Amino acid sequence: LVKERYPRFIDALRDLEDCLCMVHLFASLPSVGRITSETTKICKELCNHWQFYIAKNKLLEKVFVSIKGIYYQVIIMGEPITWLVPHEFTQVIPKEIDIRVMMTFLDFYIVLL
């Protein structure tokens, strides 16, 4: 499915922003309801691998702190990639958010990352 959606590596890089935001969000969410501790653990591990890659290759270009969290930007193969890491507060999921849809996207993004 990933190769069908992103036939070239550069195509995957261009769509990496949503993936990184979602994975970092789930890494900070509590394990309640449909969000299992295993999901949170996988997301935290992916975040750590991504941050190690960025630090090892000295790719970090910009950082901005806002009320939502910390925005980071890197440039990989000429493509700017910006993502948001939520502040480390206790996150509460509002009732009106359909977590099932988010989990579907997260499953795809875990494979992509």
Side-chain angles (χ1 to χ4, degrees):
L1 186 61
V2 173
K3 282 190 173 186
E4 289 176 17
R5 186 164 178 183
Y6 308 110
R8 299 176 304 152
F9 183 70
I10 197 77
D11 297 327
L13 281 179
R14 289 181 183 139
D15 204 26
L16 204 56
E17 292 181 354
D18 290 337
C19 170
L20 289 168
C21 288
M22 182 78 78
V23 169
H24 280 86
L25 173 65
F26 273 85
S28 69
L29 289 177
S31 301
V32 292
R34 290 184 172 266
I35 305 169
T36 65
S37 60
E38 185 65 29
T39 300
T40 304
K41 181 181 170 188
I42 290 169
C43 289
K44 284 180 182 178
E45 189 174 315
L46 286 172
C47 291
N48 288 338
H49 286 292
W50 173 253
Q51 291 166 5
F52 176 77
Y53 171 76
I54 297 305
K56 177 89 171 143
N57 294 296
K58 300 178 183 173
L59 297 173
L60 195 59
E61 294 286 327
K62 296 177 185 176
V63 177
F64 175 76
V65 179
S66 79
I67 192 97
K68 290 181 176 181
I70 304 169
Y71 288 88
Y72 294 93
Q73 185 176 62
V74 296
I75 297 178
I76 299 174
M77 295 177 65
E79 291 296 321
I81 301 168
T82 306
W83 71 97
L84 172 67
V85 176
H87 291 295
E88 292 191 25
F89 299 126
T90 303
Q91 303 290 336
V92 178
I93 304 167
K95 299 246 186 242
E96 54 273 357
I97 293 186
D98 188 358
I99 218 60
R100 292 176 298 166
V101 174
M102 291 179 70
M103 291 295 292
T104 302
F105 278 100
L106 181 66
D107 290 340
F108 176 75
Y109 289 151
I110 286 172
V111 174
L112 174 61
L113 199 54

